[in-house]
Amino acid sequence: MDCKKSIISHLCGLSRCLVTTFKVVPTGTEGAISAEGTLAGLLASILLASIGCLMVEVLFIILSLIMHIHFYCLNDSLCV
């Protein structure tokens, strides 16, 4: 996340301010943030969290189907 945030901040950031004093500082200053970089970090974290939730849902569906088939075969004499 931090890498995406830094790259976008360097490319698009119009104003960078220091976190501790909120004064405008030049590009590359330690501890400086920009609105664009902060927004990029937020959007990237939302995207990755959404992908993770989607993967858990898909895994849950697959496991429930496997369990359903397994229990169906235990109760059915036709399954080999």
Side-chain angles (χ1 to χ4, degrees), residues 60-71:
F60 179 74
I61 290 169
I62 291 170
L63 288 176
S64 63
L65 287 173
I66 290 171
M67 294 299 288
H68 179 71
I69 291 168
H70 176 71
F71 287 124

Side-chain angles (χ1 to χ4, degrees), residues 11-78:
L11 293 176
C12 303
L14 299 176
S15 64
R16 290 158 193 86
C17 64
L18 201 56
V19 176
T20 54
T21 62
F22 296 107
K23 292 183 180 178
V24 177
V25 292
T27 303
T29 304
E30 289 270 334
I33 61 170
S34 70
E36 295 86 0
T38 303
L39 182 63
L42 180 65
L43 292 177
S45 63
I46 290 171
L47 177 68
L48 287 178
S50 300
I51 290 171
C53 287
L54 182 67
M55 290 176 66
V56 167
E57 289 294 323
V58 169
L59 182 62
F60 179 74
I61 290 169
I62 291 170
L63 288 176
S64 63
L65 287 173
I66 290 171
M67 294 299 288
H68 179 71
I69 291 168
H70 176 71
F71 287 124
Y72 175 76
C73 287
L74 285 177
N75 295 327
D76 190 8
S77 61
L78 297 176

